[in-house]
Amino acid sequence: MKLLILGATGPTGHHVLDLALKAGDTVTVLARRPEALADLADRVTVVAGDATSRDDVAKAMRGQDAVISALGRSRSVRADDLFTRAAAAVTGAAEGTGVSRLVWLSSFGVGDTYRSASPVQKVMYRTFLRDIYANKEISEKAIRSSGLDWTLVYPTTLTKGPAKGTYRVGERLPMRGHPTISRADVADFMHKAAHSPEWIRRDAVITD
């Protein structure tokens, strides 16, 4: 598969990149800092650019079979419109390139998944994460209405733990306490989802 990865230098995107290379995918990465991937120069096509720029995304997207976005704000609690701007860039670029398959990383508690959250989770989502979650929700409305073959992925609290290879995935999952999922396992699901029609136009809640 010819695969474009957005956010490949981030903690989840790095796992996606590793899995794609191990699977033999032909990988393209759009990165603001291409030098961060210098050690993979002979294995990955690195396009310098910004995921919030339609022109930059279109340049990297041409000829791809699918796009995986693992964009995030690291430890920041401010979105700075990253997700809405990136969604506009990706959906706009898709129109011009004809690439329709998109796997997009979100967070559990965004949009309709909020209803399944535990009381403890809801407090976090309404306070500390309010700005980021609001921006993610707007971005996902744009993706849903775009006509793309999207999959929106909603992991619970992300950890740095190793991949277990066993996790729960469903359009709706009951939650108790403070559930977690490793970034490695989220990447595993996202990579598999890009290669399969099973999760097209479906929400995927994922947790241990």
Side-chain angles (χ1 to χ4, degrees), residues 106-118 121-122 137 140 144 150-156 167-176 179 189 199 201-208:
S106 182
S107 300
F108 181 74
V110 176
D112 287 344
T113 65
Y114 178 84
R115 293 183 294 176
S116 301
S118 70
Q121 289 173 307
K122 287 179 178 178
E137 183 170 5
E140 289 159 26
R144 292 177 193 277
W150 50 264
T151 300
L152 298 178
V153 182
Y154 297 92
T156 53
Y167 42 79
R168 294 189 294 144
V169 183
E171 292 187 84
R172 296 290 180 271
L173 293 177
M175 297 291 168
R176 290 178 295 181
F189 173 77
W199 287 92
R201 295 182 180 245
R202 295 175 65 192
D203 298 344
V205 176
I206 179 170
T207 193
D208 281 342

